[in-house]
Amino acid sequence: MNLKDIFKPLDDSNFNAYHARSLLITTLGMFTISYNTTFVSVALPELKKAFGLVAGSPLYVLLGISSFITAIIGALLFGFVSNFKGRKAVYGYEALLLSIGSLLGAFTQNAYELIATQMIFGIGIGGDFVMSPIVLGEFANKKDRGKLLAFAVGVTGPLGSITSATTLLVLPMIGVHGDLVWRLVLALGAIIPGSIVYLRRKVPESPRYLVRIKGDIKQFEQEVKEVAKQTSQQPPADVKTVDKVPVLFYMRKYAKFIAIAGVLWFLDHMVNPGGVFEPALVGKSIGVSNTAIFSLVLTLAASIPGGALSLLLIDRWGRKPLEAMGFTGMAISLVLFAVFKPSLALSNPLTPILGMLFLGGYHFWHNVGPANVSAAGIFNVELTPTKIRGIASGIVVTIDRIGALANSAIFPFLFFNFGLPVAVGVGGALGIIAAIVTLIILPETKMKSLEESSNEDIWFNVENPQ
C-alpha cells in the first residue's frame, strides 16, 4: 500500500458543499487582510494629517509597515504550534487577532496607539497566512486544489480591497467626515474576522494530521465519509501510518523546497512598485491624487481579471508556467513604465492614463502569477510533507514578510533619492530574475496529491532514513 492510497477518496472527490464551506471559512481571512492593507495604503495621507506626521519620517513609515513586523511572530507561532499540537488547536485565534486589532484601531488617539493595534493585527496576518492554506489544502481534492488555494488572493483579496476603498469613498458622500471616516472603516473591518472565529474553531482536524502525526484512523475515516461521501482504504494491520521520520531530518531534506517557496514569495514583494506606499507615492507621481480611486481602478480593471485568468489556468497549465509568465509580465510592465515616465510631465493629460495603464499591466500579471501561486501559499503546502508543513509554512511566511519589509524600505529610499523611474526599474529587473529562477528551480505540482507533490510517499513506513 502507498501512502497516497489512504488519501485517494479525498484526492479524487469532486468539489462539493463541504469544499465550498471550507473555502468560505478559510478565505475570508484574506478578505480582511486585504481590506486592512488597502485601508492603510489609501488612508496614509489622512492619517498623516490626523497625527501630524511627516511623509517619509520613521513614524510615518512604521505606521505603514507595523503589521509586517509582527506578522513574522504570528507566522512562526502559529506554524510551530499547528505542527506539534494540530491545526485545530490554533485555527480561529488568528481571526480573533485580526478582529481585535481592527476594532481597537478605531479608538486610537495617536500614531503610537494605532501602530500598536496594527501590530496585533499583524500577528493575525502571520497566523492566517500559515493556517488557512494548510487547512484548505489538506482537505482539498487534487484536481481543484490550485483553484481553491488561489481563490483567497484571486477573489476574496481583491473584494476586500474594493470594499475598503469604496467605503473610504462613500462615507464622505453620506455626510461622514474627518477622523470618523477612517475610524469607521477600521471598526467595520472587525466584523468579518469576528464572525468566522467560531466557524474556524469548529473546523475538524486535518485528515493528513490525523493519519500522519496523530495516528487516529477512526476519526480520519469519519472525515472521509463527510467530505468525500465514501470510505477510505483501511491500511493493513502491520502498516503504521504515523510518520516516524525525525523532524530535523525532514528539515534538512526539504530545506531546498522551503527556500524555493520563500524566495519566490520574497521576490514577489521586491518587484512590487511601492507596496503599501504605492497609492501615496506612485499615484501622486502620475497625477492621481485620490488614493482610494487609484486603488479601486487598479483592482477592478487589472487585479480581478488577472485573478480570474489564473483560476482558469492554474490546474490546467500548472503553477510553474503561471508563476514565470506572471513575473515576466510584471517585469515588462514596470520596465516600460520606467522608460516612458521621464517623458511624461504631470501637466500632460496622458500621464495619468499611461501611468495607470503600465501599473495595470503590473497588477494584472501579478494576479495571473505570483499573487495566486507563491503568495497564495501553494508551494509551502505542496512541496513539504505533513510532519513539517506547519513549521515550513511559518518559515516561508517569515521570508515573505521580510520581503514586504525590505520593499517598504528600499522602494521609498530609491523613490526619494533617485526618482520613480529608477525605483520602478529596479523592480522590473528583479522580476526578470524571478522569472528565470522560477523556470530553473521550480518543480511542477499540478494534479498531484500532496503525498506525490512533496514526495512524502517515499518516507511511508520508514523510521530510520539515511
Side-chain angles (χ1 to χ4, degrees), residues 139-282:
F139 274 102
N141 57 3
K142 64 183 181 182
K143 70 177 181 179
D144 295 316
R145 190 175 61 245
K147 290 188 288 290
L148 295 178
L149 290 171
F151 189 88
V153 181
V155 177
T156 54
L159 287 177
S161 181
I162 290 169
T163 303
S164 183
T166 302
T167 305
L168 282 164
L169 285 171
V170 169
L171 286 177
M173 297 178 184
I174 60 174
V176 180
H177 299 288
D179 288 357
L180 188 57
V181 174
W182 64 263
R183 293 185 188 280
L184 274 176
V185 173
L186 270 177
L188 291 171
I191 295 175
I192 285 183
S195 68
I196 61 173
V197 171
Y198 175 79
L199 296 175
R200 285 190 172 188
R201 294 301 301 145
K202 290 298 181 181
V203 169
E205 185 56 89
S206 154
R208 261 83 184 185
Y209 189 90
L210 287 172
V211 172
R212 295 296 281 150
I213 299 179
K214 198 173 180 181
D216 191 341
I217 298 298
K218 184 177 180 180
Q219 181 62 36
F220 167 71
E221 289 177 341
Q222 292 177 1
E223 289 189 9
V224 171
K225 288 180 182 179
E226 183 178 355
V227 178
K229 310 303 179 186
Q230 57 181 296
T231 57
S232 61
Q233 184 177 347
Q234 185 71 250
D238 61 334
V239 174
K240 304 300 181 183
T241 62
V242 174
D243 192 343
K244 297 294 186 180
V245 176
V247 168
L248 290 178
F249 173 85
Y250 271 145
M251 293 302 295
R252 291 193 298 269
K253 195 73 176 177
Y254 285 85
K256 171 186 174 182
F257 299 106
I258 295 171
I260 290 172
V263 166
L264 288 176
W265 204 343
F266 179 94
L267 288 172
D268 173 38
H269 283 293
M270 296 307 295
V271 179
N272 194 306
V276 72
F277 301 111
E278 182 184 3
L281 296 182
V282 183

Side-chain angles (χ1 to χ4, degrees), residues 2 91 334 342 417 441:
N2 292 320
Y91 198 45
L334 294 183
N417 289 278
I441 68 174

Side-chain angles (χ1 to χ4, degrees), residues 304-360:
I304 287 183
L309 181 60
S310 182
L311 291 178
L312 287 174
L313 299 177
I314 193 167
D315 288 312
R316 298 180 183 181
W317 287 14
R319 290 63 157 139
K320 184 170 183 171
L322 289 187
E323 183 88 348
M325 188 165 60
F327 272 127
T328 302
M330 291 156 63
I332 292 172
S333 299
L334 294 183
V335 168
L336 288 174
F337 188 16
V339 170
F340 285 100
K341 179 60 180 71
S343 63
L344 298 174
L346 277 178
S347 58
N348 188 335
L350 290 178
T351 297
I353 297 172
L354 290 176
M356 292 293 277
L357 184 64
F358 290 131
L359 289 173

